[in-house]
């Protein structure tokens, strides 16, 4: 007889996107003449830029030649890509990161999920509420949570850091000592950010408490304001306490191609029970070599092309396209008299649903009155209740039309 990993039974079923799909399907069936506009999607819609497509074609052709063929590559990523990352994402911002502190992967979802392997079960986890659900669920799977409390919508042993209008979406330092802190800025779902000074507070806390910050900056390319850090390593002392996750998904439309990376500086250390210091870089390297055989050569060549001059210009055009959508959404909400947050340094706008309505009630009203689909905030955690997420990843035409409808109906 085999026994299952019972931690999986503690996971709460996420009905968020399936419920949305069901509600939209039902409405469409009953109202076949209505044109629904989806502003709920978290996936990009602009095609891969020509610089990356050319690099892909070239790499495919290479693979068909004796000289150019590549079999297994280095598990940590090819040198050409790790070098390009170090130079363009870090040295260009005055940050010294070494190539062997970069681990190329098939995306930030896997990295933020798999990282739990190198931490002891006893660590106390803190995460923001609302939150990108991967951080929470992977810690539940790894037995770092207790039981789920259905009344509160929270797990025992997990420290929730509420982010809401009342604290300007800036999480407060935990009252008790925590070991692993998940931070994601620019934030999904709220679209809000921390400036350097606000992030410094977290780095100082982590240094004082020997905690590790797991910093997800998958949306850094959308930052428009100067004092918002693109990398946590722009903050003093962060190289001792922070692991950073990056992704080409939203930056360069790689959600289907799949490529990202994680940065683990060698100064970032944890302890054995006997108090001996160990580099997390060493552990992650060992894990990577054991469980992963690297991202495909052709995808890594496409990722390298993101950093070419034309690649940078082309991806910037796409990012500007999405950020123009974000501006249209913000302007539309303002005219409709709806309070909103985010959308300046992120492709997400987080709006406050009208007083007395729940996130799901607002979803139904918006679908019925304006035929627009968004994402109820309560799906991201209990403190998401009363909020609603609109994304800037649609087409400009649809975004304009959606906002016209919302303005004319008031919602
Ligand atoms: N991190 C955050 C905060 C995200 O919102 C997403 C995707 O939506 C990811 C990571 C996943 O990125 P990837 O496509 O690289 O797996």
């Amino acid at each position: 007889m085999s026994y299952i990993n019972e931690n999986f039974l503690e996971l709460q079923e996420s009905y968020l996107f399936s419920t949305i799909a069901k509600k939209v399907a039902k409405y469409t069936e009953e109202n076949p003449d209505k044109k629904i506009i989806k502003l709920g999607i978290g996936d990009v819609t602009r095609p891969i830029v020509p610089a990356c497509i050319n690099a892909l074609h070239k790499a495919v052709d290479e693979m068909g030649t004796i000289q150019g063929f590549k079999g297994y590559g280095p598990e940590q990523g090819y040198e050409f890509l790790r070098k390009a990352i170090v130079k363009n994402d870090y040295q260009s911002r005055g940050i010294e990161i070494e190539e062997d502190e970069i681990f190329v992967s098939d995306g930030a979802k896997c990295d933020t999920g798999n990282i739990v392997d190198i931490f002891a079960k006893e660590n106390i986890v803190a995460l923001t509420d609302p939150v990108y659900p991967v951080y929470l669920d992977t810690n539940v799977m790894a037995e770092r949570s207790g039981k789920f409390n259905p009344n509160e919508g929270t797990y025992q042993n997990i420290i929730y850091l509420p982010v809401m209008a009342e604290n300007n979406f800036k999480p407060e330092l935990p009252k008790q000592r925590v070991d692993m802190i998940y931070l994601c800025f620019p934030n999904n779902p709220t679209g809000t950010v921390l400036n350097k000074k606000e992030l410094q507070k977290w780095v100082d806390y982590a240094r004082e408490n020997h905690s590790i910050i797991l910093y997800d900056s998958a949306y850094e390319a959308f930052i428009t304001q100067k004092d918002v850090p693109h990398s946590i390593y722009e903050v003093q002392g962060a190289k001792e306490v922070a692991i950073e996750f990056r992704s080409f998904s939203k930056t360069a439309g790689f959600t289907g191609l799949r490529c990202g990376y994680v940065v683990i500086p060698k100064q970032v250390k944890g302890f054995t029970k006997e108090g001996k210091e160990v580099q997390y870089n060493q552990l992650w390297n060992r894990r990577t070599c054991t469980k992963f055989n690297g991202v495909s050569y052709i995808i890594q060549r496409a990722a390298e092309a993101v950093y070419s001059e034309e690649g940078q210009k082309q991806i910037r055009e796409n990012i500007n396209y999405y950020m123009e959508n974000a501006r249209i959404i913000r302007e539309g909400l303002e005219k409709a008299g709806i309070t909103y947050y985010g959308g300046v340094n992120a492709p997400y706008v987080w709006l406050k649903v009208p007083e007395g309505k729940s996130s799901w009630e607002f979803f139904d009203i918006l679908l019925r009155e304006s035929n627009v689909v968004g994402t109820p905030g309560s799906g991201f955690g209990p403190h998401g209740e009363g909020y609603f997420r609109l994304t800037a990843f649609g087409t400009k035409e649809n975004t304009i039309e959606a906002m016209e409808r919302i303005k004319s109906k008031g919602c």
Side-chain angles (χ1 to χ4, degrees):
M1 182 165 57
S2 73
Y3 296 98
I4 63 157
N5 178 347
E6 289 193 29
N7 299 318
F8 279 65
L9 303 182
E10 273 310 313
L11 291 168
Q12 300 306 300
E13 213 50 65
S14 173
Y15 296 111
L16 180 63
F17 290 101
S18 61
T19 308
I20 292 174
K22 269 185 216 145
K23 279 177 181 272
V24 174
K26 183 165 180 283
Y27 184 83
T28 312
E29 201 183 301
E30 290 165 4
N31 303 274
D33 55 318
K34 296 282 199 284
K35 183 189 161 206
I36 307 273
I37 297 179
K38 293 183 181 166
L39 295 187
I41 46 160
D43 198 354
V44 292
T45 50
R46 308 288 299 155
I48 302 287
V49 299
C52 296
I53 293 294
N54 291 340
L56 277 171
H57 281 302
K58 196 164 157 253
V60 168
D61 288 341
E62 265 182 75
M63 288 293 248
T65 65
I66 294 280
Q67 308 88 320
F69 170 75
K70 301 275 185 302
Y72 291 124
E75 291 91 343
Q76 304 85 348
Y78 280 101
E79 194 185 324
F80 63 79
L81 181 55
R82 294 167 101 192
K83 266 193 190 334
I85 290 169
V86 164
K87 178 165 170 255
N88 296 285
D89 284 344
Y90 294 101
Q91 282 172 352
S92 68
R93 298 191 183 276
I95 301 163
E96 278 314 313
I97 291 288
E98 289 170 34
E99 276 160 46
D100 60 0
E101 295 175 323
I102 306 279
F103 296 85
V104 176
S105 73
D106 57 353
K109 188 181 200 173
C110 306
D111 285 336
T112 53
N114 290 330
I115 202 79
V116 296
D117 277 8
I118 59 172
F119 290 92
K121 204 174 77 185
E122 293 73 18
N123 284 315
I124 303 290
V125 171
L127 35 81
T128 58
D129 169 20
V131 77
Y132 175 59
V134 173
Y135 318 145
L136 176 62
D137 285 357
T138 53
N139 277 292
V140 174
M141 291 173 184
E143 213 173 329
R144 231 165 262 123
S145 74
K147 292 273 169 221
F148 185 71
N149 177 344
N151 297 326
E152 307 270 318
T154 56
Y155 286 92
Q156 285 169 354
N157 304 347
I158 299 283
I159 306 302
Y160 291 82
L161 310 166
V163 282
M164 49 199 176
E166 288 78 358
N167 61 15
N168 208 10
F169 300 92
K170 319 273 183 211
E172 281 157 33
L173 292 174
K175 306 247 172 338
Q176 71 172 95
R177 222 196 70 80
V178 298
D179 304 300
M180 295 162 63
I181 305 159
Y182 286 85
L183 294 178
C184 170
F185 291 103
N187 189 261
N188 177 17
T190 66
T192 56
V193 290
L194 293 188
N195 65 27
K196 235 183 225 175
K197 207 166 134 216
E198 288 154 351
L199 196 53
Q200 184 73 58
K201 219 172 65 173
W202 285 94
V203 170
D204 293 344
Y205 172 94
R207 290 174 80 191
E208 276 158 32
N209 290 281
H210 294 289
S211 324
I212 300 293
I213 297 175
L214 299 149
Y215 194 73
D216 187 342
S217 57
Y219 295 97
E220 66 77 30
F222 296 85
I223 292 170
T224 60
Q225 289 176 319
K226 274 221 161 62
D227 65 337
V228 180
H230 287 249
S231 163
I232 193 167
Y233 306 121
E234 288 177 48
V235 170
Q236 213 194 347
K239 269 177 74 178
E240 291 165 33
V241 291
I243 291 176
E244 178 159 286
F245 303 94
R246 289 276 184 106
S247 170
F248 293 96
S249 281
K250 309 295 159 77
T251 308
F254 274 42
T255 50
L257 290 184
R258 309 301 308 144
C259 197
Y261 65 89
V262 50
V263 186
I264 313 190
K266 287 179 214 127
Q267 295 98 308
V268 181
K269 290 174 184 148
F271 298 89
T272 64
K273 297 250 161 59
E274 284 74 42
K276 187 174 154 246
E277 276 190 338
V278 178
Q279 290 180 359
Y280 278 113
N281 179 295
Q282 254 176 25
L283 301 187
W284 187 249
N285 190 47
R286 184 57 210 254
R287 185 209 176 274
T288 302
C289 292
T290 302
K291 293 196 180 184
F292 191 53
N293 251 339
V295 176
S296 79
Y297 173 71
I298 60 173
I299 298 299
Q300 291 194 58
R301 281 294 185 198
E304 181 194 27
V306 167
Y307 297 109
S308 65
E309 207 182 314
E310 69 275 26
Q312 282 294 297
K313 202 168 138 266
Q314 293 162 356
I315 63 157
R316 201 34 60 195
E317 279 168 19
N318 282 350
I319 290 167
N320 291 345
Y321 178 98
Y322 295 133
M323 290 313 282
E324 170 63 6
N325 285 349
R327 193 196 60 74
I328 293 165
I329 296 172
R330 287 191 282 116
E331 196 183 271
L333 292 174
E334 205 148 315
K335 294 215 169 113
I338 296 173
T339 308
Y340 67 87
Y341 309 90
V344 176
N345 296 294
Y348 298 121
V349 179
W350 189 242
L351 62 91
K352 186 103 191 69
V353 307
E355 204 56 41
K357 301 257 180 306
S358 73
S359 297
W360 275 112
E361 282 166 350
F362 185 73
F363 175 93
D364 290 333
I365 296 170
L366 198 63
L367 177 60
R368 198 176 57 236
E369 302 293 326
S370 300
N371 306 144
V372 172
V373 178
T375 315
S378 52
F380 298 98
H383 281 88
E385 181 56 273
Y387 294 92
F388 197 80
R389 191 187 75 174
L390 294 177
T391 83
F393 287 128
T395 65
K396 183 172 178 182
E397 298 69 34
N398 277 349
T399 307
I400 291 173
E401 192 180 332
M403 297 323 292
E404 286 303 324
R405 291 184 197 170
I406 290 174
K407 272 186 283 183
S408 71
K409 306 269 173 164
C411 70

